[in-house]
Amino acid sequence: MPIAISTDSNPGTSPVTSLLLMMNMATTLFRMTVPEVLQGVTGHAARAFGNSDRHGLLAAGRPADFTVWPVQSIAELAWLPDSWRRNVLLEWSLDGALQRVTPDFDHAPRDVPHAAEPLVSGMPNLHSHAFQRAIASLTEYRASARDSFWGWRDLMYRFAARITPDDLGAIACWLYVEMLKAGYTSVCEFHYVHHAPDGTPYGHRAELAQRVVQAAADTGIGMTMLLVLYQYSGFGAQAADQRRFINTPDALLRIVEDLRRAHPEHGDLRYGVAPHSLRAVSEASLRALLEGLNALAPDAPVHIHIAEQTAEVDACVEAEGARPVRWLLDRFDVDARWCLVHATHVDAGETAALACSGAVAGLCLTTEANLGDGLFPAHDYLDAHDAFGVGSDSHIGVDWRAELRLLENTGNVSRGWVRGRPARSARARTGSCSMPIIRISRSRRRVPGSSRSCSPSTAARRSAMSTRADDAWSSKAVIAMRRACTRTIARCCRACSRMRERMQGLHP
């Protein structure tokens, strides 16, 4: 059946007049191809109102009735892979893929739009627990004189025991819109809530993970879904009370397979695994997990929480005879596919060994500061290696600028390294390589760039940028924000309100 596309533009229910936005929504929500969308707004639309003999087609004998979309823009200052460059000409196709990036372009055509503010690539959010966004404000006061990370964790566990699939999907949708507005264009979701509250698997084993994957698709953010293996509550195979988290390696890999069938990998979606931490898995189960993953996808990313708290380090030394990072590096082939999240409490030897491994350090500075974790030895690490990324983790704040600001202000990077150039993101190791162009403004944040993602092996960096989102090919980020003004945010607000009401009884 031919499909025509229009704006409707009812001031009461759909106050949007951008046909380009409707076209982007058709590609994102209805999975229509670009040729199908173009036909929908031209030939099929003309046919719908009985004017196909005069409109909807560029052909000899027809009226010269056409629209011109800009496919070029000049950035006065842009961060390219080597350095800041001036007068950068960006040329892209209508499907949002950059065709050419030409720095020092002196003779731009007069009608080519100029971006007056600096342009940098979109940021991958290296570490996220989406459901924790809903408890951010509920943990921001001291309930006792001995509050710590472990007290926060208890509250988080009680919250995780109550969340429903609908709640999780709505909270994730809300969060991913926030990420896009802040300039994050892809996310690594460290997902460990797998089962029903009583610990039994859902009829569809990947039910909760699938809700999160769908939230990413609905909002347009690129995603690497990391399925988390959690078996124990502490070193020495201590029994875990978190029934919703617990899996065996085989059961977790079956969830990965289910997801890969239901939502196949593509440029905006990848899968990997994450042993939760060394205290939550045994050496044998970690080895079995990696062997199974290698059989499915040898290049899939592997992330792990490690050395976040001094109590964890002490327990590892007591149980295993070695500090966590040293223990992991000595027993497993940790390389560029790995991301060690936090790695806050590492000694000089571990710092040097981590740098030599090629793995990425995943720093979550707003969360680490909020929970009083400690300070990553960034100065020493960066002397030997510069592969690090940032993530918003528990989402007490959702802003990559805040993460890098904390890294600098805590004194870990005292030289002009961060001030002199943006931090290199660990995009190749996150599994989702988002490279849109976003605009930074001191007074406000706008995201006119595409959130298209590509796999690490893809050389092309995709973008669809414009000086005004309504005047050019609208991005998925813009779609997400526009949709936020309608049903998505309304639904998320209702779900978050319900969850907050439930949470009122969790505080002692």
Side-chain angles (χ1 to χ4, degrees), residues 205-219:
R205 287 174 298 197
E207 175 68 29
L208 291 173
Q210 186 167 273
R211 297 298 183 101
V212 178
V213 170
Q214 189 60 52
D218 287 345
T219 56

Side-chain angles (χ1 to χ4, degrees), residues 32 34 89 123 195 230 353 484:
M32 295 175 68
V34 171
L89 178 67
M123 298 292 167
H195 307 308
Y230 189 105

